């Protein structure tokens, strides 16, 4: 599906100057608030077709905030944002903004307003599982694998034989 005709996200960046200038903490706060307001007030739209005449229906969908989108709005690249984060002067505001964007995306995904799989990856949320077979790791040498297969086949055949004997007796 093509981008919506009213998609004007690129206009958020008013200044195309290089990243050399540093913004004040207040400017970062103000511009972050502008970006947040833009995301909340300008949802994306999903198109669906309803009814016998298959007329198009548009549904508003939550626009996910991103640090990259904020950087675009600030007129900087992500590397500049990361460098500012190392400066104690900016640490508080950058941490607060990142925390706000994290919570916004997490809650949006939890409420099924954003794609949970994409947001989980974006936020670094991983469902880790320790997969083993009878306490043995899945990585085996070919010889170990062959011996394990033979052992499982023997166990299966033994169970089948017992079941047959029970059915007959």
């Amino acid at each position: 599906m093509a981008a919506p005709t009213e998609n004007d996200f690129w206009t958020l960046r008013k200044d195309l100057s290089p990243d050399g200038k540093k913004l004040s903490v207040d400017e970062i706060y103000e511009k972050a608030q502008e970006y947040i307001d833009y995301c909340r007030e300008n949802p994306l739209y999903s198109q669906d077709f309803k009814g016998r005449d298959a007329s198009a229906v548009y549904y508003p969908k939550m626009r996910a905030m991103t640090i990259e989108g904020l950087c675009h709005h600030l007129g900087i690249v992500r590397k500049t944002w990361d460098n500012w984060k190392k400066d104690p002067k900016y640490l508080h505001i950058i941490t607060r903004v990142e925390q706000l964007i994290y919570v916004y995306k997490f809650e949006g995904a939890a409420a099924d307003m954003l794609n949970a799989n994409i947001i989980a990856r974006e936020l670094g949320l991983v469902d880790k599982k320790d997969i083993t077979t009878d306490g043995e790791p899945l990585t085996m040498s070919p010889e170990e694998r062959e011996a394990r297969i033979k052992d499982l086949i023997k166990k299966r055949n033994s169970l089948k034989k017992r079941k047959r004997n029970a059915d007959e007796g």
Side-chain angles (χ1 to χ4, degrees):
M1 181 167 105
T5 55
E6 300 298 316
N7 183 358
D8 62 349
F9 182 72
W10 62 273
T11 62
L12 282 175
R13 182 163 180 186
K14 307 286 188 232
D15 178 16
L16 297 176
S17 62
D19 291 347
K21 66 175 185 172
K22 273 197 171 185
L23 301 173
S24 71
V25 172
D26 290 338
E27 287 174 316
I28 292 172
Y29 175 80
E30 288 170 21
K31 289 185 177 284
Q33 191 60 54
E34 285 174 12
Y35 174 71
I36 291 163
D37 291 343
Y38 175 84
C39 289
R40 294 180 70 217
E41 294 167 5
N42 294 282
L44 298 172
Y45 287 88
S46 176
Q47 182 179 15
D48 198 4
F49 294 93
K50 298 283 182 183
R52 285 182 28 189
D53 61 350
S55 57
V57 180
Y58 295 92
Y59 298 98
K61 298 194 91 168
M62 185 177 195
R63 182 185 294 269
M65 292 180 209
T66 63
I67 299 299
E68 286 76 9
L70 174 60
C71 289
H72 179 75
H73 183 70
L74 292 170
I76 62 171
V77 296
R78 177 64 191 256
K79 187 71 173 167
T80 301
W81 179 264
D82 294 337
N83 287 338
W84 287 356
K85 192 171 147 168
K86 297 173 190 171
D87 186 337
K89 173 180 157 186
Y90 294 102
L91 181 61
H92 179 73
I93 188 65
I94 288 178
T95 303
R96 291 288 305 248
V97 169
E98 286 181 352
Q99 180 179 330
L100 179 125
I101 290 173
Y102 180 98
V103 169
Y104 180 85
K105 287 193 281 191
F106 183 89
E107 290 177 351
D112 205 23
M113 297 171 76
L114 296 171
N115 184 308
N117 290 328
I118 293 171
I119 298 303
R121 284 192 296 259
E122 167 81 14
L123 299 179
L125 304 174
V126 187
D127 186 14
K128 294 183 180 180
K129 294 180 183 175
D130 181 19
I131 302 173
T132 60
T133 54
D134 291 336
E136 296 178 27
L138 289 174
T139 54
M140 297 182 193
S141 69
E143 296 81 18
E144 290 172 319
R145 190 175 313 114
E146 188 65 34
R148 181 78 174 133
I149 290 170
K150 285 180 182 179
D151 184 46
L152 290 171
I153 290 171
K154 281 181 188 177
K155 285 181 183 178
R156 183 191 66 186
N157 290 341
S158 174
L159 288 172
K160 280 184 179 181
K161 189 174 183 180
R162 275 193 256 160
K163 186 175 188 287
R164 250 192 327 248
N165 292 339
D167 290 344
E168 292 174 0

